[in-house]
Amino acid sequence: MNTAIQCEQLTKRFGDRVAVNSLTLTVPRGSIYGFLGPNGSGKSTTIRMLCGLLTPTTGKGTVLGFDVMSQSEEIKQRIGYMSQKFSLYEDLTVEENLDFYAGVYRLGAGERKERKAELIEMAGLTGREKQLAGSLSGGWKQRLALSCALLHKPELLILDEPTAGVDPVSRRIFWDVIHELARQGITVLVTTHYMDEAQTCDWIGFIFFGNLLAEGTPQELIDRMGVGNLEDVFIDLVRQEEARQAAGEGVR
Amino acid sequence: MRHFVWERYWSVVKKEVIQIKRDRPSLAIALVMPLMLLFLFGYAVNTDVNDIQMAVWNQSPSAASRELVDQFVNTRVFEVAAHVSSYKEIEAMLDDGSVNVALIIGPDYTRKRDRNEPVDVQMLINGSDPNIARTATSQAQLIVQHQAITLQEMKLQKQGLGELEQPLGLDTRVLFNPNMESIVFNIPGLIGLIMQNVTMILTAFSLVREKERGTMEQLIVTPIRPLELMLGKITPYVGVGLFSFCLVLLVGTYWFGVPIKGSISLLVTLSVLFLVTTLLLGIFISTVAKTQLQAMQMAFAFILPSVLLSGFMFPRDSMPLVIQWLGGLVPLTYFLEILRGIFLKGVDIDALWKDVVGMSSFCLLILTVAILRFRKKIE
Ligand SMILES: Nc1ncnc2c1ncn2[C@@H]1O[C@H](COP(=O)(O)OP(=O)(O)OP(=O)(O)O)[C@@H](O)[C@H]1O
Ligand SMILES: [Mg+2]
């Protein structure tokens, strides 16, 4: 099987508001899938449904072959997730946070030591093991969160705006790690508002008002829209959709 | 549901211990608050009625009338606050609350006594506090009756008829709390009530805090099971609660002088059961509340019924049956029986097994409800 995520007609309503509207998308295994869209377009909501944090209102979806409605616990064992807001314990140190999640993911003593060393090294957190997570600056916090999400060697990594508010150097380091993970065969679903990051993804999905407007490789999208770069794709798609909706309302 | 994984449970325990240690102010409150409350309420909740303030209007001063007043004072139930000389003064003092009763000895008291004629004395009682009024009435009645019998005996002796023999007597002996001091009865109850409130609030915050800080989101994308999380969260607090319970116990026995008649190890064992129950109750609140403020309000909403229904304030036997059943939904009810039984009567498990079963059932019930309530979702 070579799809990591597959969803059909996935919909989430909060009361009257439709946050995600009949979303159908496929993420191939081993690829980096960039999930783009303006604020409030439904990216986080989609991700939360895939992780089992929210129950879809209607629709179908599988993650790593498991059903999102009924097998969310199987999914949780196999994915790594970084939420948009820092959600590790600020009153624990770097090492204590890693230890806690290592225990929760049932890493044996030897494996735990090895993974911790590897990840601290990878994230460049060496020397900060005893620092409280709350006192780390933005970029370091994100790298710690990534380390915690990777402890149990997940097959699929889901990152919700991992580089928001992070300086360019840290962003570069972060994306180097993401590409390295993809080379090792891990599938990555990542949301971002930075088009330079999106440019390096294998696939792009563009979502607006809960609808998937376009999907393809970055180059395909640029060619299809007949523009120079991804940023223009983004802006054109938003303008087109807004014009379409305004016209729709005018008719009504 | 798959089986319980000790490693995950243990990770939660370790994490909570670190967090509790770093949160010094909360830890201090958990340890010191019960002591403070016990000191405060130990003195406040005193239902013994002593030294009822009394105004005396003696219109017939003499050795005989003064003897009667002395009889009142000697019981230590009444204390003479003022000597007055008119109804007006008495009314004023009853109105402003400086006295609760007034004893009025009429002008012909001495004369009638000298002639061995029957005579009445009058007592005015402020009935607004029924507890004080009842004590005053019955005590005054006893004192006067006692005095009347003494006088009658003297009269008979004078007439040469010898001793007055009472045809019927009552020989009472009070077991367990021979001086009938209310503090001896109240301290064990207070210990239970205080421990319930403090421990419940400790855990009521725990899950809600994670929701508010957003750490819950990360936690619920892991394979952790609700039972592992909840038990892991209460375990360190059982330690904190037990330590605090022992402090309170020491103050109860040494400061307030309420001895423990029964087995201390039984008391401590059953207290652990009680602490687990109230901590789980806190966790349950935590699964319902969305914010720490809500959790606080819910905890307080539980405190009032537990004071009223558990038998802490009013004896449960005299409550309507339905209310007694409702009291069965409050774990404090069972613990009060246990505490009072062990403290005052020195009973052992044979006499308490029903309460132990009741409390354990409640404990399992609340755990089940909490687990069913807890969703690994963020909605
Ligand atoms: N729990 C909720 N209850 C009600 N409405 C919600 C809830 N969560 C999200 N929404 C709404 O759903 C819509 C989609 O939100 P979502 O967070 O998925 O957007 P997003 O694409 O992640 O935006 P951003 O780029 O700002 O992170 C928004 O209009 C938001 O207000
Ligand atoms: Mg978002």
Side-chain angles (χ1 to χ4, degrees), chain A residues 207-228:
Chain A
I207 183 174
F208 192 31
F209 287 127
N211 295 300
L212 192 71
L213 296 184
E215 200 179 18
T217 65
Q219 200 52 50
E220 269 173 31
L221 290 183
I222 291 170
D223 294 346
R224 201 184 305 161
M225 300 292 292
V227 290

Side-chain angles (χ1 to χ4, degrees), chain A residues 33-239:
Chain A
Y33 191 104
F35 205 28
L36 310 184
N39 293 129
S41 54
K43 302 182 297 293
S44 298
T45 307
T46 307
I47 282 180
R48 284 170 162 177
M49 286 192 282
L50 297 173
C51 294
L53 285 167
L54 289 174
T55 312
T57 313
T58 55
K60 276 196 306 200
T62 56
V63 172
L64 301 169
F66 296 100
D67 187 71
V68 291
M69 293 281 197
S70 57
Q71 294 176 298
S72 55
E73 292 304 301
E74 269 80 9
I75 296 174
K76 285 172 181 172
Q77 183 69 54
R78 292 169 177 81
I79 62 168
Y81 169 65
M82 241 183 95
S83 76
Q84 185 167 355
K85 181 178 167 290
F86 183 70
S87 45
L88 297 178
Y89 298 96
E90 305 217 330
D91 51 349
L92 296 190
T93 64
V94 167
E95 190 168 16
E96 286 160 352
N97 267 297
L98 286 166
D99 277 332
F100 172 64
Y101 281 101
V104 167
Y105 283 113
R106 304 182 70 184
L107 266 52
E111 195 188 0
R112 174 180 311 197
K113 217 170 141 206
E114 189 184 310
R115 282 302 279 163
K116 253 171 57 185
E118 264 173 46
L119 290 166
I120 287 176
E121 158 86 35
M122 174 214 81
L125 284 164
T126 318
R128 294 179 187 260
E129 292 92 335
K130 303 270 181 267
Q131 196 175 333
L132 287 184
S135 70
L136 293 172
S137 64
W140 297 103
K141 275 186 181 166
Q142 294 307 82
R143 289 194 229 162
L144 173 60
L146 181 65
S147 306
C148 284
L150 287 171
L151 269 170
H152 57 298
K153 298 193 171 164
E155 297 163 50
L156 169 65
L157 194 57
I158 298 182
L159 309 172
D160 197 355
E161 292 192 34
T163 53
V166 169
D167 71 69
V169 179
S170 290
R171 267 174 58 199
R172 176 62 58 79
I173 298 174
F174 208 97
W175 273 87
D176 286 346
V177 174
I178 292 178
H179 286 291
E180 174 54 34
L181 292 169
R183 261 193 295 283
Q184 293 168 15
I186 296 178
T187 315
V188 182
L189 172 64
V190 55
T191 73
T192 179
H193 289 300
Y194 297 109
M195 291 308 126
D196 56 331
E197 294 178 354
Q199 187 72 52
T200 66
C201 295
D202 301 323
W203 296 92
I204 299 279
F206 192 89
I207 183 174
F208 192 31
F209 287 127
N211 295 300
L212 192 71
L213 296 184
E215 200 179 18
T217 65
Q219 200 52 50
E220 269 173 31
L221 290 183
I222 291 170
D223 294 346
R224 201 184 305 161
M225 300 292 292
V227 290
N229 54 38
L230 263 184
E231 187 131 346
D232 290 337
V233 173
F234 189 106
I235 292 167
D236 281 5
L237 277 170
V238 170
R239 289 223 177 108

Side-chain angles (χ1 to χ4, degrees), chain B residues 167-287:
Chain B
L168 184 63
L170 175 66
D171 177 19
T172 59
R173 191 176 311 149
V174 178
L175 304 172
F176 307 137
N177 178 7
N179 299 327
M180 293 197 281
E181 290 170 83
S182 68
I183 197 156
V184 171
F185 183 67
N186 283 334
I187 288 288
L190 261 178
I191 291 178
L193 183 65
I194 290 171
M195 288 319 295
Q196 167 191 280
N197 299 348
V198 172
T199 52
M200 183 169 63
I201 288 173
L202 284 180
T203 44
F205 285 161
S206 70
L207 287 173
V208 189
R209 201 185 297 133
E210 297 223 15
K211 278 185 231 170
E212 277 189 354
R213 292 186 185 165
T215 52
M216 189 61 100
E217 182 158 348
Q218 193 68 51
L219 198 52
I220 56 190
V221 288
T222 70
I224 198 159
R225 310 213 56 82
L227 185 65
E228 295 154 1
L229 179 62
M230 288 177 186
L231 293 187
K233 273 184 170 291
I234 71 162
T235 305
Y237 285 112
V238 174
V240 173
L242 197 60
F243 185 78
S244 161
F245 178 76
C246 291
L247 284 183
V248 170
L249 218 53
L250 284 175
V251 171
T253 42
Y254 290 105
W255 183 273
F256 287 104
V258 181
I260 305 172
K261 289 245 178 73
S263 144
I264 295 193
S265 57
L266 180 65
L267 183 61
V268 170
T269 313
L270 295 182
S271 303
V272 171
L273 176 61
F274 177 67
L275 288 175
V276 170
T277 312
T278 53
L279 289 168
L280 283 173
L281 197 59
I283 289 275
F284 167 68
I285 290 176
S286 220
T287 61

Side-chain angles (χ1 to χ4, degrees), chain B residues 24 46 64 74 78 107 123 152 194 223 239 259 275 311 355 363 376:
Chain B
R24 286 284 159 80
N46 186 348
N74 288 344
F78 299 96
M123 179 168 258
Q152 192 71 17
I194 290 171
L275 288 175
D355 298 297
C363 183
K376 282 184 75 181

